Amino acid sequence: MAMVCQALTFLHQYWYEGLSAKKVSKTPVAVKIGVLSTAMINSAALFNPAASYAGAEVVAIASRDAETAKSTAKKYGIPKSYGSYEALLADPEVEAVYISLPNGLHGEWAIKSMRAGKHVLIEKPLCSNSQEARQIFQVASETSLVALEAFHWRFHPAAHAVKDLVEGGKYGRVTRTRARMVTPKNSIPGSDIRWKYLLGGGALMDETYTISSTRFFTQPTPDGITITSATARPWSKDPRVDAAMEASLSIQSTRGHVIDSTIYADLDQPNLAWVVPRVWELPAIEIELENAVVYFYNFMMPHLYHYIQIYDKRTKKTTYEKHYNFPSEPKTAQPWSTYRYQLEAFCNKIRGNKPHHWVTPEDSIQQMETIDSIYEKSGLGKRLPTAEVV
């Protein structure tokens, strides 16, 4: 389902961001961005958002195949292309790098990019494990550069509307959460990097939004997440890779109470009655509070479509909300994608301006610690960077 959402995002951005790009002139302080890899996600995550945003400009792209980089650059109107990642990092015009490489390579190239003086926007998951995450932010601190894990959904107005609802006190404290993300069976070819153990593939790594959303709405203490159970369904062609992962978490909230949470991620979900793909099952999280149950449908790509269902236990009434813009934005404002909001925050941070939201180093480290713990509890063991397992 994630791949379907991504395809729909291309259409959304063509309408809202692509069409408006003709009206946008880049500011003199626009952040000059280079891209490592020619991955399919680049268009949705960066090219289209940057086209409509005056504060960012994509100036270079690199691939290990020079012709691939050249053809991609031509397709998207990118001025420069390189046949190696090192060549792009040596380009003095490039100020920041978007890293959309396979998961197991994120850490290595984030560190190399910062050592070359570039800020980094790193696709989720940040890297292979929490040890590597700490290394990334240690280098960011040493170089005084910006490093951001690209959990784009958290920058969208809908995510903050739900967070305000949950933390506002009207419905009491959170008692339970259940996050779920699935991809219909056979949607992902066997050759895809999501199935490659050596590149950090697997359901939990790819669909780690389930953990991100759980943590975002429960506010764990720094050491407040305990994995009480974790069960992996190994991929039939490589038992080291999780085709699906289900886990139960006990979360100590910063508000002083314990929350029971479950997550389920599946890259190869069995069809209904063995025939019908469950294409309607978009990523969702259910948040139960003392006096209400909040259901956030399609939290990962809320710009496409979402709804927030609120069941009040006291009145027995159910209400619905949708939020495509922040309250501070004009009513006529365009409903930007999650990626566009994220790009603005990233560029604002680089230029010394306050972003409307941020994923902190501590946040990303705890995210990777949770992934480590789930893998270890499941018996698969925590992941290693590609350089250490090849």
Side-chain angles (χ1 to χ4, degrees):
M1 216 39 237
M3 298 182 77
V4 174
C5 283
Q6 193 174 96
L8 291 173
T9 289
F10 295 155
L11 295 176
H12 172 279
Q13 291 177 328
Y14 173 76
W15 181 257
Y16 286 110
E17 295 168 11
L19 293 181
S20 67
K22 299 176 182 179
K23 307 174 186 178
V24 174
S25 297
K26 303 301 178 181
T27 68
V29 294
V31 177
K32 304 293 193 298
I33 302 175
V35 185
L36 297 188
S37 99
T38 55
M40 184 177 71
I41 195 175
N42 291 346
S43 177
L46 181 63
F47 299 159
N48 286 333
S52 65
Y53 177 48
E57 183 177 4
V58 181
V59 297
I61 188 166
S63 169
R64 287 175 172 166
D65 183 285
E67 286 304 312
T68 299
K70 184 178 180 180
S71 63
T72 303
K74 182 179 180 180
K75 178 179 179 180
Y76 292 102
I78 300 170
K80 291 179 280 188
S81 66
Y82 294 102
S84 74
Y85 304 144
E86 291 88 351
L88 184 143
L89 297 185
D91 185 336
E93 185 185 17
V94 174
E95 299 176 81
V97 173
Y98 171 55
I99 300 173
S100 55
L101 295 163
N103 301 333
L105 298 172
H106 288 179
E108 173 189 355
W109 287 99
I111 290 171
K112 286 180 177 178
S113 296
M114 289 186 287
R115 292 295 188 202
K118 318 299 186 185
H119 305 282
V120 286
L121 175 62
I122 311 162
E123 259 308 322
K124 61 79 203 167
L126 179 76
C127 54
S128 297
N129 57 45
S130 58
Q131 180 180 358
E132 193 176 31
R134 293 187 185 91
Q135 293 172 348
I136 288 171
F137 291 114
Q138 178 62 37
V139 173
S141 177
E142 292 171 359
T143 57
S144 299
L145 292 166
V146 172
L148 174 64
E149 183 176 18
F151 270 119
H152 57 97
W153 76 274
R154 287 179 41 169
F155 293 83
H156 194 269
H160 292 269
V162 174
K163 193 169 181 66
D164 290 343
L165 187 69
V166 168
E167 296 179 0
K170 179 180 179 180
Y171 298 111
R173 301 185 304 182
V174 176
T175 61
R176 177 187 64 85
T177 68
R178 181 169 60 94
R180 178 182 179 86
M181 183 173 175
V182 299
T183 301
K185 193 170 186 64
N186 299 322
S187 296
I188 302 174
S191 59
D192 193 274
I193 60 171
R194 292 170 177 84
W195 297 122
K196 305 298 183 183
Y197 177 77
L198 298 182
L199 295 176
L204 187 64
M205 293 289 277
D206 189 66
E207 298 183 337
T208 188
Y209 294 100
T210 54
I211 301 171
S212 174
S213 59
T214 297
R215 293 179 48 259
F216 188 63
F217 295 122
T218 58
Q219 294 184 290
T221 60
D223 299 311
I225 299 179
T226 301
I227 311 304
T228 56
S229 68
T231 303
R233 187 178 79 237
W235 187 41
S236 59
K237 297 180 181 179
D238 188 342
R240 299 173 299 174
V241 178
D242 49 315
M245 182 71 76
E246 186 169 14
S248 296
L249 298 71
S250 178
I251 297 176
Q252 180 66 47
S253 170
T254 53
R255 295 193 171 189
H257 64 290
V258 176
I259 301 168
D260 294 323
S261 299
T262 61
I263 65 102
Y264 180 69
D266 197 334
L267 283 179
D268 198 32
Q269 185 194 36
N271 293 332
L272 182 64
W274 299 281
V275 177
V276 182
R278 305 169 190 257
V279 296
W280 58 88
E281 293 191 2
L282 296 176
I285 182 167
E286 182 178 84
I287 308 160
E288 183 168 0
L289 298 95
E290 292 170 308
N291 297 308
V293 179
V294 177
Y295 185 73
F296 186 7
Y297 181 72
N298 197 21
F299 70 83
M300 189 191 81
M301 295 282 192
H303 54 274
L304 296 176
Y305 172 77
H306 72 274
Y307 65 80
I308 303 161
Q309 176 183 291
I310 307 157
Y311 171 71
D312 191 317
K313 297 179 182 179
R314 296 164 297 190
T315 64
K316 311 300 181 185
K317 293 182 178 180
T318 300
T319 56
Y320 293 86
E321 295 182 5
K322 294 177 183 178
H323 297 272
Y324 291 97
N325 297 100
F326 285 103
S328 58
E329 294 180 302
K331 292 183 179 180
T332 56
Q334 292 188 3
W336 298 121
S337 70
T338 54
Y339 296 109
R340 166 61 190 268
Y341 282 114
Q342 174 182 263
L343 180 61
E344 289 188 33
F346 180 60
C347 292
N348 276 328
K349 189 78 168 181
I350 290 173
R351 291 295 180 243
N353 302 316
K354 184 178 180 179
H356 73 279
H357 176 68
W358 198 249
V359 181
T360 66
E362 295 77 17
D363 195 335
S364 290
I365 290 170
Q366 187 181 64
Q367 176 79 7
M368 293 311 305
E369 288 175 337
T370 306
I371 292 174
D372 288 352
S373 297
I374 292 175
Y375 271 129
E376 289 173 338
K377 191 73 172 182
S378 75
L380 291 182
K382 73 177 182 180
R383 295 305 178 86
L384 295 175
T386 294
E388 295 183 24
V389 292
V390 171

